[in-house]
Amino acid sequence: MKLICLDIDGTVLNDKKEVLPAVRKAVREASDMGVRIALASGRMPAGVDLVEKELGVECVKICNAGTYVVLGDQCISAHTLLPRTMLAVYQDIADKNQVPLWIFQERKWFVTKMDPYIEREISIVQYRPQVLDARMLANQWEAEKTGPNKLLIAAAPEKLRVIYEQMKRQAIADIDIACSSESLLEIFPKGVTKATALIKICEKLKIDLSDTAAIGDQELDIPMIEAAGIGIAMGNAIDALKQKADFVTKTNNEAGVAHAIWHFLKV
């Protein structure tokens, strides 16, 4: 195995948002053996940087749900949505459901208003977003011929399920959606996933996909699990992901990442 791709929340981190000592030890042992480590997350870069620092190894960073990939100091892959698509999601979904729209571009984070889910995310990623009018931002980006890497809607699980179904029915042509937790819905350019990011990394590092493993727990991780040579589901993963996996490890509260690394690398 030459590369291990790790989801962060619900995978590397336990429910208290901690890196357990066994996970840190296993990741460092794998790195010392020459295995490259990639962190693959819906998180913005600032939030991924924190986990990289906590692990104590240099990681390839798949950020913003696979739409922004960083290798060292270099962005090796970036995809954006059209500003008018962002505006449609804001007007037809977020605003109508009275929830903020989270907007991510590279290392920047914008929101249309504040709420407790945003305050919680600030405490996790240690980054405060800028509150902006979505229409003004869309007009600015239209003029600049750019756009957001991804959008996000956060709500109580029962409300988010309703919003999820609304978006499925609306079927906006140039987006895909997936949940990264029961209260977070990720919205990103069609066809762009953690899997496409993994493939890009393998091309860059000249690693065959068959020499990779990926570990995750949520819907957002399914393409990555399917693409990797070995797809590993956390014990706390949703059933849909477990059904796609080659191996099911222990939960994130039981250092499941460490268990999987030691199982396959025989450390």
Side-chain angles (χ1 to χ4, degrees):
M1 191 181 301
K2 296 182 179 179
L3 184 145
I4 300 173
C5 201
L6 303 171
D7 171 55
I8 291 179
D9 297 282
T11 301
V12 170
L13 303 181
N14 67 8
D15 289 347
K16 295 179 180 179
K17 301 297 182 183
E18 301 167 332
V19 177
L20 293 174
V23 171
R24 186 181 300 107
K25 183 173 187 289
V27 169
R28 289 179 179 178
E29 287 174 348
S31 180
D32 288 344
M33 292 172 64
V35 178
R36 295 298 300 262
I37 306 297
L39 294 174
S41 180
R43 287 186 177 204
M44 64 180 298
V48 180
D49 290 344
L50 292 173
V51 179
E52 178 187 43
K53 185 177 179 180
E54 184 75 12
L55 289 171
V57 301
E58 184 179 5
C59 301
V60 185
K61 288 169 280 192
I62 298 172
C63 311
N64 293 343
T67 63
Y68 188 72
V69 184
V70 179
L71 177 61
D73 294 327
Q74 180 189 10
C75 170
I76 63 169
S77 178
H79 299 269
T80 57
L81 291 161
L82 294 170
R84 65 174 178 268
T85 300
M86 176 187 79
L87 197 55
V89 172
Y90 171 68
Q91 292 174 333
D92 298 341
I93 304 296
D95 198 36
K96 284 186 178 178
N97 285 280
Q98 299 182 319
V99 294
L101 184 64
W102 304 18
I103 304 165
F104 296 89
Q105 188 192 62
E106 299 180 355
R107 290 188 166 271
K108 300 186 287 288
W109 177 22
F110 308 99
V111 297
T112 54
K113 61 182 177 181
M114 299 295 291
D115 75 352
Y117 288 99
I118 293 168
E119 293 291 353
R120 179 176 181 272
E121 187 71 8
I122 290 168
S123 70
I124 292 170
V125 303
Q126 298 178 28
Y127 185 102
R128 179 167 288 274
Q130 185 177 354
V131 181
L132 283 178
D133 181 272
R135 295 171 187 83
M136 289 179 58
L137 190 59
N139 289 337
Q140 177 187 328
W141 282 346
E142 192 72 51
E144 295 172 355
K145 300 191 183 312
T146 186
N149 298 122
K150 76 154 194 173
L151 310 171
L152 186 144
I153 291 174
E158 59 276 10
K159 184 169 187 175
L160 198 74
R161 285 192 291 270
V162 172
I163 293 172
Y164 185 100
E165 292 305 321
Q166 286 176 356
M167 294 202 69
K168 283 287 189 183
R169 288 194 301 272
Q170 190 164 337
I172 298 172
D174 55 347
I175 67 168
D176 280 329
I177 64 173
C179 288
S180 54
S181 80
E182 63 179 5
S183 59
L184 299 176
L185 178 60
E186 314 269 349
I187 303 156
F188 42 90
K190 195 167 190 64
V192 180
T193 66
K194 290 184 179 183
T196 59
L198 173 59
I199 292 166
K200 182 70 176 181
I201 290 166
C202 287
E203 290 173 353
K204 191 74 175 178
L205 298 179
K206 295 180 170 52
I207 293 173
D208 195 279
L209 270 173
S210 62
D211 290 326
T212 69
I215 312 178
D217 70 311
Q218 287 290 335
E219 180 185 20
L220 194 64
D221 302 315
I222 291 175
M224 177 178 76
I225 296 299
E226 293 181 301
I230 301 170
I232 303 167
M234 297 296 293
N236 51 288
I238 60 172
D239 288 341
L241 188 142
K242 287 180 178 177
Q243 291 167 10
K244 301 285 187 180
D246 302 303
F247 179 78
V248 179
T249 187
K250 296 180 180 180
T251 71
N252 62 323
N253 293 323
E254 300 170 304
V257 165
H259 177 71
I261 289 175
W262 289 330
H263 176 84
F264 285 101
L265 291 183
K266 304 294 189 291
V267 175

